[in-house]
Structure formats: structure tokens, C-alpha cells
Amino acid sequence: RTPNQYPYMFRSLFPEIIMTNRMLHDFRPDYKNHLNNAFVYGLRFDSSVYRCRVGGIDLEPQLRDYFAYLIKEKEAHHRFFYDGTFISPRDYKVPEKVTVAEYAYGDERMFAFMNDAATPVDFDFYGHPMHLDGLGIGTLETTVKEFPDEGEL
């Protein structure tokens, strides 16, 4: 994740492109930021942890377990991430340090959130109570009818 990243623009202009996150190749203190960013923007995880020719990701259990967690979450919302449409951003009302991306699948919507702060945050997302752990992710599935029109945001 860099300050010069423009995921909304790229995902909106080139929706058919399968993008990856290639910024993580070993355990780093900010690994959750990189992986959460990839999760929220629907990027494919692309990591090649390789330790001195003696082993791979099993030598980094924190990283391995977090990958497994995010992959499980992504599979739980498969239809949105793989068969749905990324929606260009709207002016969502979320706390500072919280990022949100919206996906559509038919008349259903899914919102993927990430918290860049180290502390947990609780907030209301248009009538839906949300809790995000520090440096955590979250999702919300709704229908179009449950979510306000763009003019009401």
C-alpha cells in the first residue's frame, strides 16, 4: 500500500483486469496493511515467501494464518469478489482510518472495510452497526433496497 495507489480509478476503468498485490514477500511489521488492502480492493494475493531454500510460508506462521483467514473471508463473499462488480467510490461516512469498497452482484451489495488504526473502532454504517478490530477487516452484505440512494449518503 503506497500513497500513490489509485485502486478506485484503476478498478473502475479496467474492471476486467485481474490485479494482484505483489508488495509482500516476507514477514514485515506492516503485513496486515498490505493484505487488508488487497482484500478490500479485491486484489489477488501474490506472495512468495521463501526462506533460504529451506521452506516457505510455514516458516512464517503469523503470515500463513492471516493469509488463511483472509482467503476464508474472501471465499465467504465469492460472488462479489469474483463474479460481482466493483463500484466506484461514493462519499461514505466512515471514521478516520477506515477504508471501504463496494461490490455489486445483481441487486445485492457487499461492503469491504479495513481499519488502518491499531485500535478497534465501532461505528454505524447507514443503520448497520460495525466493529473492526485494530488493523482488521470486516464485511457487510445488503440489498440495494437496504442501502440509501447516492443522494442520501
Side-chain angles (χ1 to χ4, degrees):
R1 183 170 182 168
T2 68
N4 296 323
Q5 171 184 286
Y6 302 101
Y8 293 116
M9 181 178 72
F10 198 85
R11 291 296 317 265
S12 298
L13 292 173
F14 307 105
E16 70 283 356
I17 302 290
I18 295 173
M19 295 184 297
T20 61
N21 177 18
R22 296 180 180 207
M23 298 298 292
L24 188 68
H25 295 288
D26 56 14
F27 182 81
R28 315 183 331 196
D30 63 346
Y31 75 98
K32 283 188 177 181
N33 287 333
H34 287 280
L35 295 178
N36 290 348
N37 183 69
F39 175 83
V40 167
Y41 293 117
L43 309 179
R44 302 306 198 270
F45 301 121
D46 184 357
S47 183
S48 55
V49 177
Y50 191 63
R51 293 277 167 249
C52 302
R53 300 180 184 223
V54 297
I57 199 162
D58 285 334
L59 295 178
E60 299 288 359
Q62 280 183 290
L63 190 59
R64 178 198 63 213
D65 294 348
Y66 203 68
F67 263 120
Y69 163 69
L70 291 177
I71 290 168
K72 183 178 174 184
E73 285 297 310
K74 210 169 204 184
E75 281 303 310
H77 306 285
H78 187 278
R79 67 189 182 281
F80 295 101
F81 284 117
Y82 299 105
D83 301 321
T85 303
F86 181 86
I87 304 291
S88 292
R90 302 195 271 178
D91 191 17
Y92 306 110
K93 294 175 183 145
V94 295
E96 186 179 349
K97 301 254 184 193
V98 171
T99 302
V100 60
E102 180 180 356
Y103 295 82
Y105 181 79
D107 67 347
E108 297 176 284
R109 295 292 182 269
M110 192 271 297
F111 298 89
F113 302 88
M114 73 175 164
N115 179 9
D116 279 337
T119 56
V121 64
D122 293 291
F123 60 100
D124 180 83
F125 189 71
Y126 304 99
H128 299 275
M130 298 296 302
H131 172 82
L132 299 176
D133 290 333
L135 302 177
I137 55 115
T139 57
L140 170 67
E141 288 189 24
T142 69
T143 65
V144 173
K145 294 176 187 173
E146 288 182 76
F147 196 74
D149 292 328
E150 189 163 344
E152 300 173 31
L153 292 176

